[in-house]
Each structure stands twice: as structure tokens, then as C-alpha cells.
Amino acid sequence: MPKDRRLREELDFLQPFFLGPSGENDRWLEELIVEFVRDHAFWRRNFHPEDGHRITAAAAYRPDFLQAKARTRQALIRLSGELKQSVPIFHPRYVGHMSSDLLIPGLVARILTTLYNPNNVSEEAAPVTLTHELEAGRDLAAMFGFNVDPSVQPCAWGHLTSGGTLANYEALWNFRAVKFYAVALQEGVRRTALATGPVGPVGPLRKELAEYSKWELVNLSIGQTIGLRREIAEALRGQDPAVFTRFRRAVRRERIETAGIQEFFDRHPELRPPRVLVAASAHYSWEKGMKVMGLGTAQLVKVAVDDHMRLDPDHLDACLADAFESRTPVLGVVGVLGTTEFGTVDPIHEIIAARRRWNERGADFFVHVDAAWGGYLASVFRDPDGGCLPREEIRKDFRHFPSRMVYRAFTSVKHADSVTIDPHKLGFLPYAAGAFVARDREVVDFITQQAAYVFDLGDVEDEVPREQQLRNLGQYILEGSKPGAAAASMAVAHEVLPLHGEGLGRILRHTIRACEYFHESALEAAGRLEDRVRLIVPFEPDSNLVCLALNRNGNRSLARMNRFARRVFARMKVDADRPVQDARFIGSYTSLRREGGEDEQCGRILRELGIDPATFVAVPARPREEADHIFILRHTLMNPFLMDGPGERSYIDMYWDFLEDAIDAALAE
Ligand SMILES: *Cc1c(COP(=O)(O)O)cnc(C)c1O
């Protein structure tokens, strides 16, 4: 692809932000690091300079000192040598997993802050970077369209986690705490024989707390449960403090977190343990989460996906009906905004619509959006004033993106209860940086380790402002000690490249254009290869991931096709037996399995590839036979320099040269 003026401008825009494929910006990076290491040393020196020095200048000449230095240097040289066998994820020849070059502002902020080593578990340990963390969380929430003005309810908040996995666990943890809270509250009221007066949602449902059925209580929304709790607190204000304390203790005793799952459901035989519904294409962290939470993977319902690997709304409805008709609470429905394997986007708007429909029938579930991969693409949809750009405006820059469906999905995230997003993926920041964003920060009252303030402080006037409370972060999150450097890194990255179409969104737009170009050139390559192989793009790309499937002409056996595709892939995989420098390109792969609830798509893909569907089996005859899955090449197109390259040709053009060579070599084997 020739580099026209427009592309040149885009590439120019990116250049200052990355170290670069050849370390082009090394001098600048070094300058920044040296500047701030020195600056840090000055800071140390100016803390009680009257104390003098503990490590004298002369000490550096002692033999033991010199030896320690030599040993340290030796160990670091060895490490640095070993690291040369790392995967070159920074390079545009790397199109494998979800990692790429890092933003210099974020990287330097991380290194610089690590010298101060703040611990964002609490304000006491990190007065500066805690502010960064809450600000960065607010930036993310605003990018998704949540309200972040504390004077308006609900007000969102977000915080950092080690990654998307932990953020997903937090969703389950938060949801469970709220879902079963009202049942405990009712028990507390019953045991202390308190009269509440009519409480709960406005409308026909509103009545004495004791009169609610348990089914009604586990089908309140998050907002309703928060409101209920607040109403009870108000109603009980002015009660005899001894009664109030008894009530509070009773509520705590009745909570699922205190009683444990088994005991809780033994006490409430009319309730069943809850289900969680996720798209069949969801990340495996949901399975881990169900185990960790003790909810059981058997309660994780995989909702089928459609022809485009997106959650199927009809099947979702069937799964919801199945749960609600058997009076099984649904803790949450998870939609994926950019699946890990295919980059496809679930119709979040359909999940929200389903909730509205079920609400009318007295059933509710919470909604979580797993946007670990695609979350940052929301910046493409924001204008610098924080407004949401119309689809037509965004489309000007692309051939296909965003499809009507993708646009609706992204603009519906603001109706979800919480979101997972990974700054260490499309945020171009160092590991470990994930984030959890909740639409309503009042939820923290349900998970705090401290006694809940509303019930503890008789007088609401004394209430510690929420902003202040959240600075005691460790009380409200799954993790404990955590790097303030990750928060500082995010805050600086957001300052330099704000989360809208003219900031980070500009870099992400560029990656989507690279993806569209990759997609188009895949179709051209398919034409060139027609006489030898069938090459298809199995799923229309929703974000910036493109998959390819290939079969040699005339072959109708799936096992043979998979073996062939693996031979092609062998030329683009990281292999311990050869130096990484030998790899022309590095990719990744995924598979579609018979068992994965993906039968529909599998049938279509096999037809397109000319494979006899009878050769696709659930259990292969021989253990190592490659007949129970479809092997697919997977390309993550997030590198900012993919559209650049030596001469007039881009790395994407070069990739197709490489792939054709790899195919010819595999054919000749
Ligand atoms: C990457 C990813 C995760 C897991 O995130 P980690 O940061 O690897 O823990 C979860 N969900 C989706 C959709 C992902 O892409």
C-alpha cells in the first residue's frame, strides 16, 4: 500500500509515543529516565540533609563493595542476555497475542514511580498515586459514558487490578454481595422484630420488608438494593442503639459472605444457588472465577454464539427463561466487547433489552461487560468534549467500522453495571494493569471489610465523604498491596493521550484501519492462492483481530487440513529450537471445537473450506488425531507501525509475501 499523505500524517502522529521497532527513540527514553533517576536522588538527598551520607564516597572503593557491584552487574548482564530470547512483541512483525509496544509516557511514569514504590492499598501508603488511581478510574468510566459527577446518582468509579482476570472476579464478587443482601436484610429485620414501613421500589411492589418474597428480593436491581438499604437505615435512625446494634449484627450474620454458600442456601431452601450466563466465546477466567467464588462451573451457562461469533440473543433469552422458570436466580449476564480469540463484539444492547423485558416479568440480573480487549476502542467513539460521536462521523475514517451492531454495543455499555478493561492490552501500558469499573460506587458498601458506615454511624451528618472513603482502597477491592506505579503510569498516559478520538483514539483508529487493510488484502491473497489453497476469513472482524483458515485444494478431511495449517503455522511460531531473530513473522492460533457450542459456525466454515463435515468428530478415534477442532490462524493487529514498513510496502504487505511462501513450503513438505 503506497503511503499517501493521510497515512503519513497518522504515522507521524504516532512516532513520539513509542520506543519504536528499532529502538529509534532510545535517546529520548534514556534522557527521560536519567533525568528522573537524578531527580529522585535529589529528593532523597533533601530529606534530612543534616543526616549526612550513610554510603560514603570512599565506600565505593572497598574490595567487598566492588565485588558486590561486579556480582550484581554480572547477574544483570546474564538476565539481559537471556531476555534476548524474549518474544519481540514490540515489533510489527509480531501479530500474535494481545501485546505490543508501550507508550513512552506510561512506561517512563511507571519506571519513575517505581523508584518511590508507593503501595495503592491505602492512602497512608500512597497519598499521591491513590489520587491517580481514582482519577484514572474516573477517566475510564467517563469513556464508557457512565456518570462521574458525584452530585448525580449513580456515580461511577473504577480502580486498577492486576489484569482482566481479577477484574472479572471482582464483578462476580460485587454481584454476589448485592444479589443476596436484601435477603439478609429481611432476616435482620425479622429477627429483631423491627417494623420498616413500606420500602423498596416505587410502585405496586412497595411494602413492608417482611412482606417481600425471597424471589422478589433476589430480583431487585443494584440501584433498588442500594435504595432499599438506604431506606431501612433511614427508617431505623433514632432507634434504641442497643436494638440497632442487634439488628446490624443479625444482618451481618445472615449474609452469604458470613454464612457461606452452603449454609446460606440451607437457610433459604426456596432459593437456589445462582447461575452466571456468558457467551460461549468468553474468556476462561470466567470458569476460574466460578471456582474461586465457590459458585461452581456447573452454574456457568454458556450462551451460544451466532454465525459471527457473537452472543446469540435468542439463545440468551432461552437460557434466561430456563433459569427463571425454575426459579433460579441469575447473578449476571456477561457480554464480551472484543473476544480474546476472535475480537468479535457481543450485542450488549440486546443483553440490556433482555433485562428490560425480564424486569417486566419480575426477574432481574446484573450485566457485566468484559471489555478487557476492546474497551479502549470506546475512545474512538468519544469527542474531546466527552460527547458520543454519531456513527456516520466515525465511519468516515473506515470502510466497515463500526458496523451498526458494534456501534450499538459500544454505546450501550453505559447501561451495564460494571466493566472490565485492560490497560495492558489496547492501553499500551506495561503489565500488570487491568481495571474494574462500576456504574454505581455505592456498591462498595456491600463489600467493605469495615462495618458499613451507614449502619455504624448513627448520624448521617458525620458520614465520611465517599471520595475520602475510597482512598482506603484495600477495603473495597480483592487485592491488597498493589503498585501505585501502575496508576501513575495510567494517569500520565491519559494526560498525554486522553481517552477520546483525538487522543488515544487516534492511535486505535489507526490500528483498525490496519485491520481493515489486512482483511482486504486477505481477500486478494485468497485470489492469488486460488490454484493451490482455499483461504478464508472465517469471521468478519468487529475490532482489530483477524482470523484465517486454510485448506489445500482437493482435500476434504478435517484432520488433514489441520495438519497442513499447523505446518504453515510452524513457520510463524515462537520455537525454543530456533532464535527468534529467524522468524519473519510471529502469529498465534486458535481452534473452534465441536464441544464449544460453535457447531453452527463450524458447519459454515467447513463448507467454505470444502471439508466433509463427517470428518469433524466430537471424539477422535485416535487421541492425537486432529479431527475434533478447526485450526485457525489468529492475528492481533494492534502494533502502531503495521501500516509502515521499509520502502513503499507495509508490514502487512510483507506478511502476505511471507504467508504465501509459508504455504508453498508447507505444500512442498
Ligand atoms: C485478556 C482477557 C481477559 C483476561 O485478562 P488478563 O489481563 O489476561 O487477566 C479476560 N477477558 C477478555 C475478553 C480478555 O481479552
Side-chain angles (χ1 to χ4, degrees):
M1 171 166 188
K3 292 178 195 115
D4 58 19
R5 214 190 79 222
R6 163 101 187 287
L7 175 59
R8 208 51 270 170
E9 271 173 26
E10 287 301 309
L11 292 169
D12 289 351
F13 174 80
L14 302 166
Q15 286 178 353
F17 298 116
F18 299 93
L19 178 53
S22 312
E24 293 90 333
N25 279 326
D26 61 339
R27 283 302 159 90
W28 188 45
L29 178 63
E30 191 181 301
E31 203 179 289
L32 290 170
I33 292 175
V34 170
E35 176 177 350
F36 293 110
V37 168
R38 288 183 182 158
D39 190 46
H40 174 79
F42 292 144
W43 181 68
R44 290 192 174 202
R45 248 160 244 170
N46 285 313
F47 185 68
H48 292 287
E50 74 277 15
D51 291 359
H53 293 184
R54 301 283 71 73
I55 308 167
T56 59
Y61 298 96
R62 270 196 337 258
D64 61 316
F65 195 113
L66 289 170
Q67 244 173 31
K69 271 173 76 177
R71 281 211 317 278
T72 304
R73 186 135 190 278
Q74 198 58 45
L76 290 172
I77 288 171
R78 186 178 48 76
L79 169 68
S80 182
E82 285 167 358
L83 288 171
K84 301 297 177 290
Q85 274 306 314
S86 294
V87 182
I89 53 176
F90 61 88
H91 203 279
R93 286 177 187 266
Y94 181 82
V95 287
H97 294 286
M98 297 171 152
S99 40
S100 175
D101 208 353
L102 300 171
L103 286 175
I104 286 181
L107 173 62
V108 176
R110 178 88 181 216
I111 296 170
L112 152 62
T113 311
T114 301
L115 294 170
Y116 298 78
N117 200 27
N119 178 354
N120 271 22
V121 71
S122 74
E123 166 151 54
E124 230 174 73
V128 180
T129 49
L130 234 150
T131 309
H132 291 144
E133 176 145 0
L134 296 174
E135 272 171 15
R138 204 153 41 229
D139 294 341
L140 294 174
M143 175 177 71
F144 291 123
F146 292 125
N147 167 55
V148 290
D149 173 359
S151 66
V152 180
Q153 302 256 353
C155 179
W157 85 296
H159 68 86
L160 271 68
T161 60
S162 66
T165 299
L166 246 291
N168 286 345
Y169 295 175
E170 289 215 4
L172 293 173
W173 183 52
N174 277 245
F175 283 1
R176 186 178 68 183
V178 181
K179 192 87 187 162
F180 298 105
Y181 181 81
V183 172
L185 198 59
Q186 187 185 51
E187 279 300 306
V189 166
R190 204 174 57 77
R191 280 169 195 272
T192 34
L194 290 166
T196 61
V199 289
V202 191
L205 210 57
R206 199 167 163 78
K207 55 198 165 193
E208 279 274 336
L209 186 57
E211 288 167 17
Y212 279 83
S213 73
K214 285 177 183 162
W215 182 248
E216 283 169 337
L217 293 175
V218 297
N219 281 291
L220 296 174
S221 70
I222 290 183
Q224 286 169 341
T225 307
I226 290 168
L228 186 66
R229 180 171 181 279
R230 200 177 289 138
E231 269 193 293
I232 303 274
E234 287 293 321
L236 299 184
R237 198 124 59 94
Q239 278 278 350
D240 170 3
V243 176
F244 193 76
T245 304
R246 218 149 29 91
F247 161 71
R248 219 182 56 208
R249 289 205 182 125
V251 174
R252 196 171 302 167
R253 239 187 350 261
E254 292 299 329
R255 292 197 56 186
I256 195 166
E257 286 79 5
T258 314
I261 295 178
Q262 165 104 39
E263 176 63 23
F264 182 86
F265 289 102
D266 281 353
R267 285 183 201 169
H268 306 287
E270 59 275 66
L271 290 178
R272 287 155 158 270
R275 288 185 197 162
V276 174
L277 276 50
V278 299
S281 54
H283 190 262
Y284 67 100
S285 53
W286 291 103
E287 248 131 30
K288 290 202 279 185
M290 294 299 278
K291 292 181 190 168
V292 171
M293 294 281 296
L295 294 169
T297 48
Q299 310 309 324
L300 187 70
V301 178
K302 300 279 181 80
V303 181
V305 289
D306 69 8
D307 225 25
H308 299 283
M309 275 312 194
R310 303 171 188 141
L311 176 131
D312 175 356
D314 292 333
H315 192 237
L316 171 65
D317 222 48
C319 294
L320 287 168
D322 183 63
F324 291 138
E325 276 154 23
S326 64
R327 294 252 148 178
T328 305
V330 173
L331 192 58
V333 173
V334 180
V336 189
L337 211 67
T339 55
T340 319
E341 298 304 317
F342 316 104
T344 49
V345 170
D346 284 339
I348 307 301
H349 48 286
E350 297 283 4
I351 301 175
I352 302 294
R355 174 158 72 177
R356 223 167 279 139
R357 282 195 307 276
W358 280 99
N359 279 174
E360 281 162 22
R361 299 164 64 178
D364 191 73
F365 53 84
F366 306 152
V367 177
H368 180 78
V369 177
D370 183 356
W373 170 245
Y376 274 98
L377 293 175
S379 63
V380 173
F381 297 69
R382 292 266 145 223
D383 69 26
D385 301 328
C388 184
L389 291 162
R391 175 164 170 260
E392 286 318 311
E393 184 66 28
I394 303 164
R395 269 181 61 88
K396 281 188 197 150
D397 273 332
F398 307 103
R399 267 174 232 266
H400 308 287
F401 185 85
S403 68
R404 204 173 299 277
M405 198 291 302
V406 165
Y407 184 77
R408 290 189 67 191
F410 271 86
T411 48
S412 298
V413 175
K414 61 173 184 278
H415 302 297
D417 295 298
S418 49
V419 187
T420 290
I421 176 170
D422 262 352
H424 62 211
K425 285 181 180 163
L426 284 178
F428 299 94
L429 294 176
Y431 298 112
F436 177 76
V437 178
R439 180 164 167 271
D440 195 335
R441 60 185 191 174
E442 303 300 304
V443 167
V444 299
D445 279 341
F446 298 84
I447 48 180
T448 174
Q449 279 304 314
Q450 274 172 353
Y453 75 102
V454 181
F455 288 157
D456 281 352
L457 305 171
D459 193 354
V460 181
E461 257 93 66
D462 288 349
E463 208 178 279
V464 183
R466 184 65 81 194
E467 266 84 337
Q468 194 51 41
Q469 279 179 32
L470 291 175
R471 298 183 71 84
N472 216 343
L473 197 57
Q475 299 287 341
Y476 309 110
I477 62 174
L478 275 181
E479 284 159 284
S481 295
K482 62 208 285 284
S489 159
M490 240 176 114
V492 169
H494 291 180
E495 185 179 334
V496 179
L497 287 167
L499 304 182
H500 56 62
E502 297 310 311
L504 183 70
R506 199 157 162 192
I507 294 179
L508 294 178
R509 276 211 308 267
H510 185 71
T511 68
I512 295 172
R513 268 200 295 275
C515 173
E516 291 196 336
Y517 180 62
F518 186 97
H519 187 192
E520 269 163 44
S521 40
L523 304 180
E524 284 166 22
R528 283 197 303 278
L529 288 161
E530 210 169 35
D531 58 335
R532 287 158 280 170
V533 295
R534 271 200 216 189
L535 178 87
I536 67 162
V537 177
F539 316 106
E540 186 183 308
D542 284 341
S543 61
N544 38 15
L545 221 109
V546 187
C547 294
L548 296 175
L550 50 118
N551 184 25
R552 80 196 282 171
N553 284 355
N555 171 49
R556 294 190 37 83
S557 140
L558 178 61
R560 224 173 293 141
M561 176 188 107
N562 285 341
R563 282 196 296 273
F564 172 68
R566 272 184 203 278
R567 280 207 301 277
V568 173
F569 180 69
R571 288 162 171 86
M572 53 197 296
K573 74 173 192 197
V574 178
D575 192 338
D577 294 339
R578 66 169 182 172
V580 288
Q581 283 74 10
D582 284 0
R584 275 170 72 188
F585 276 88
I586 298 170
S588 64
Y589 71 92
T590 185
S591 334
L592 287 178
R593 299 197 166 267
R594 249 317 263 280
E595 303 294 271
E598 292 153 355
D599 300 8
E600 293 270 328
Q601 307 80 286
C602 291
R604 172 179 60 81
I605 292 165
L606 294 179
R607 262 194 313 282
E608 286 178 27
L609 290 164
I611 295 293
D612 175 3
T615 64
F616 190 22
V617 299
V619 185
R622 286 186 304 271
R624 294 174 68 84
E625 194 177 51
E626 302 238 12
D628 60 344
H629 65 277
I630 306 176
F631 183 90
I632 286 175
L633 299 177
R634 168 177 173 269
H635 310 79
T636 307
L637 301 166
M638 70 181 287
N639 189 285
F641 299 98
L642 277 168
M643 296 288 273
D644 206 344
E648 276 301 294
R649 290 167 64 69
S650 72
Y651 281 103
I652 294 178
D653 299 320
M654 288 159 62
Y655 174 80
W656 294 110
D657 296 345
F658 156 75
L659 192 70
E660 283 191 48
D661 290 349
I663 287 172
D664 284 336
L667 284 170
E669 252 177 49

